């Protein structure tokens, strides 16, 4: 018989704060059980039987289609039935869970049931941020872990709910969230690996770029903000969880644990932190749609308010100039990395709130009157390809397709980021800068490119930051549009 913590009977709550506190108690009890057993296992003790702990769950049941009137696109279930989800890291997601619980209560006036699920917690997901105790095990002891503890089960981590392919079995509850607890934990661990920073530092507005020049400028901006005692930001985080606090603020527990890595991680992340987590995270995703899909697959579990792509592109029209901006209002998806999860016949709509914010930001930062914005910014279709050397393909077939689609620019990441935003209900947008015009003989040459990057990056980044300010000031509830919701949508944002 497995060694499991003492069972806790499900409890029912009308106060969302009480429900959250019970989730936190259950999670700590279950995680504590695993951590204690793992410490003994590392010390050489072999448990007499399998050690197991379980995720907490929250469940609601409603008998009616009635719900309170709301302007939000989330916060309610679609009709009568039983709905539930497993939960993890209630410390990290405390504010998010509390808001989702509050909205369910406000929409349906139902009790929130909190209990212990039958979904085991994999031992790898029980380690604290700076625990690396498994590294001290011999190969034989690591192999024995499979017999003693639950390991990650990929069958419990698919994206069927988000993809719209999940179907409940007879008697099974409908989902409350796009992601199960194991799926969330898996992504939290992947984020540490790919970005070199802890999930706790990620902010609710995310900028992606495909060039290190943008990151260099973001670092400069971050340190300038930290030198300003009146800055709205309280900390700047760099890979290795290196923390710089704003001038005048004392260091906090754990700040000294950050160490710059000997080499940058694959997709390094940097965070300008606000106290309410509405600051800005910037990630250098590098080149290609595979990276773009990978990082957005994982950041999506943090439920950000918006993500936007700032990068360079090939201008496809003779009327464009190097340095012109392209505001994407449609996408040609030739990236292929999402074809299975999101069929090509699914349109990826432009989101008005993001489009307007980006357009206003270009006007604000460039100081060009809105009536003259067409001189420096074109709105149109962006094509994304997985073939960096598309120009060399025979018979000009890509060029013909891009012409037929009316594309004005081409890159390798933007359509992927937008499509995954659509898939995961994360508001998205794209503002690119024309860095070459391969169809018109203007290709990138090292000296010209370096001069161009230095000249344009600062303005482009400030436009992205200004767009985030506009979105934040406009109220984040307006961002989570009904355009991103399916027929029978989950209640959690």
């Amino acid at each position: 018989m497995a060694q499991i913590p003492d069972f806790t009977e499900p409890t029912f709550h009308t106060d969302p704060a009480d429900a959250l506190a019970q989730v936190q108690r259950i999670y700590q009890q279950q995680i504590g059980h695993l951590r204690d057993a793992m410490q003994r296992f590392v010390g050489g003790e072999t448990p007499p039987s399998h050690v197991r702990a379980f995720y907490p769950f929250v469940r609601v049941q409603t008998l009616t289609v009635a719900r309170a009137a709301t302007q939000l696109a989330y916060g309610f279930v679609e009709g009568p039935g039983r709905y539930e989800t497993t939960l993890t890291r209630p410390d990290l997601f405390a504010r998010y869970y509390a808001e989702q619980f509050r909205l369910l209560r406000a929409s349906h006036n139902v009790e929130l049931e909190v209990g212990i699920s039958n979904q085991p917690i994999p031992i790898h997901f029980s380690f604290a941020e700076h625990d690396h105790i498994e590294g001290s095990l011999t190969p034989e002891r690591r192999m024995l872990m499979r017999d003693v503890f639950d390991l990650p089960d990929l069958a419990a981590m698919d994206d069927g709910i988000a993809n719209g392919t999940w179907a409940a079995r007879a008697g099974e509850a409908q989902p409350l969230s796009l992601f199960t607890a194991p799926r969330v934990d898996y992504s939290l661990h992947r984020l540490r690996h790919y970005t070199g920073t802890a999930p706790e530092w990620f902010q609710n507005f995310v900028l992606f770029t495909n060039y290190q020049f943008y990151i260099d400028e973001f670092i400069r901006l971050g340190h300038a903000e930290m030198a300003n005692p009146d800055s709205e930001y309280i900390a700047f985080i760099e890979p290795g969880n290196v923390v710089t606090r704003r001038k005048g603020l004392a260091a906090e527990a754990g700040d000294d644990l950050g160490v710059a890595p000997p080499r940058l991680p694959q997709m390094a992340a940097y965070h300008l932190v606000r106290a309410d987590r509405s600051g800005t995270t910037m990630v250098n995703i590098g080149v290609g749609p595979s990276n773009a899909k990978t990082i957005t697959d994982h950041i999506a579990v943090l439920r950000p308010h918006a993500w936007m792509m700032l990068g360079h592109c090939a201008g496809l029209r003779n009327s464009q100039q190097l340095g012109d901006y392209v505001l994407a209002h449609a996408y040609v998806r030739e990236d292929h990395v999402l074809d299975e999860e999101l069929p090509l016949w699914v349109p990826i709509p432009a989101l008005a709130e993001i489009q307007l914010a980006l357009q206003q930001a270009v006007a604000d930062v460039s100081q060009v009157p809105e009536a003259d914005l067409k001189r420096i910014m074109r709105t149109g279709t962006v094509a994304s390809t997985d073939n960096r050397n598309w120009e060399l393909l025979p018979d000009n077939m890509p060029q013909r397709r891009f012409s037929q689609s009316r594309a004005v620019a081409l890159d390798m990441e933007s359509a992927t980021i937008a499509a995954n935003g659509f898939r995961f209900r994360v508001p998205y947008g794209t503002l690119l800068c024309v860095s070459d015009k391969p169809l018109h003989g203007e290709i990138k040459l090292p000296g010209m490119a370096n001069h161009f990057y230095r000249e344009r990056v600062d303005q482009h980044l400030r436009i992205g930051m200004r767009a985030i300010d506009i979105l934040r000031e406009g109220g984040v509830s307006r961002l989570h549009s009904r355009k991103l919701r399916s027929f029978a949508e989950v209640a959690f944002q």
Side-chain angles (χ1 to χ4, degrees), residues 435-455:
S435 61
D436 63 330
K437 296 169 58 183
L439 298 183
H440 307 95
E442 295 188 53
I443 62 174
K444 292 178 183 174
L445 298 173
M448 180 182 72
N450 287 339
H451 174 75
F452 167 79
Y453 295 149
R454 286 192 298 269
E455 187 178 71

Side-chain angles (χ1 to χ4, degrees), residues 191 193-195 208-210 265-268 283-299 307 309 335 337-338 385-386 412-414 416-417 420:
L191 284 175
H193 170 73
Y194 284 120
T195 72
F208 297 111
T209 188
N210 49 9
Q266 184 175 346
M267 290 179 274
V283 185
N284 182 0
I285 61 176
V287 175
S290 180
N291 277 5
K293 178 185 182 296
T294 296
I295 198 64
T296 48
D297 279 349
H298 299 314
I299 291 179
W307 60 40
M309 177 67 186
D335 48 7
V337 294
L338 280 167
T385 179
D386 60 355
M412 298 187 69
E413 301 87 20
S414 293
T416 311
I417 288 169
N420 240 7

Side-chain angles (χ1 to χ4, degrees), residues 89-148:
R89 291 296 308 274
D91 55 333
L92 175 60
F93 291 102
R95 183 176 296 167
Y96 173 77
Y97 287 159
E99 178 64 3
Q100 308 315 305
F101 294 174
R102 183 191 69 79
L103 290 171
L104 281 171
R105 284 280 302 147
S107 294
H108 301 285
N109 196 31
V110 292
E111 290 184 309
L112 302 167
E113 181 183 356
V114 175
I116 300 174
S117 75
N118 60 4
Q119 179 64 59
I121 302 176
I123 187 64
H124 296 79
F125 298 162
S126 72
F127 301 157
E129 176 64 33
H130 297 285
D131 281 351
H132 304 289
I133 53 179
E134 80 283 5
S136 62
L137 297 174
T138 64
E140 293 75 20
R141 294 292 283 177
R142 282 199 296 273
M143 184 64 69
L144 183 60
M145 279 179 63
R146 298 174 180 272
D147 297 328
V148 176

Side-chain angles (χ1 to χ4, degrees), residues 107-246:
S107 294
H108 301 285
N109 196 31
V110 292
E111 290 184 309
L112 302 167
E113 181 183 356
V114 175
I116 300 174
S117 75
N118 60 4
Q119 179 64 59
I121 302 176
I123 187 64
H124 296 79
F125 298 162
S126 72
F127 301 157
E129 176 64 33
H130 297 285
D131 281 351
H132 304 289
I133 53 179
E134 80 283 5
S136 62
L137 297 174
T138 64
E140 293 75 20
R141 294 292 283 177
R142 282 199 296 273
M143 184 64 69
L144 183 60
M145 279 179 63
R146 298 174 180 272
D147 297 328
V148 176
F149 301 100
D150 290 296
L151 272 58
D153 176 11
L154 294 181
M157 300 179 201
D158 69 57
D159 284 325
I161 301 171
N163 293 342
T165 59
W166 183 90
R169 296 186 291 269
E172 189 175 11
Q174 296 291 322
L176 271 176
S177 174
L178 291 176
F179 302 107
T180 62
R183 170 67 169 84
V184 173
D185 271 339
Y186 178 78
S187 282
L188 297 182
H189 279 255
R190 292 288 82 196
L191 284 175
R192 293 187 185 93
H193 170 73
Y194 284 120
T195 72
T197 56
E200 286 83 350
W201 295 120
F202 277 76
Q203 301 296 287
N204 276 319
F205 293 94
V206 182
L207 297 176
F208 297 111
T209 188
N210 49 9
Y211 280 95
Q212 181 64 30
F213 293 93
Y214 286 84
I215 296 297
D216 294 342
E217 186 61 24
F218 191 68
I219 293 171
R220 187 198 64 75
L221 185 153
H223 285 292
E225 289 289 344
M226 293 306 96
N228 176 11
D230 298 321
S231 173
E232 63 186 302
Y233 302 101
I234 62 171
F236 181 61
I237 315 301
E238 300 175 69
N241 298 309
V242 175
V243 180
T244 303
R245 296 283 172 186
R246 188 183 69 200

Side-chain angles (χ1 to χ4, degrees), residues 310-338:
L310 301 181
H312 291 131
C313 64
L316 300 180
R317 301 302 180 94
N318 197 35
S319 58
Q320 292 170 303
Q321 303 296 320
L322 299 187
D324 283 357
Y325 294 113
V326 175
L327 177 59
H329 75 178
Y331 300 89
V332 174
R333 295 166 53 200
E334 294 202 354
D335 48 7
H336 302 302
V337 294
L338 280 167

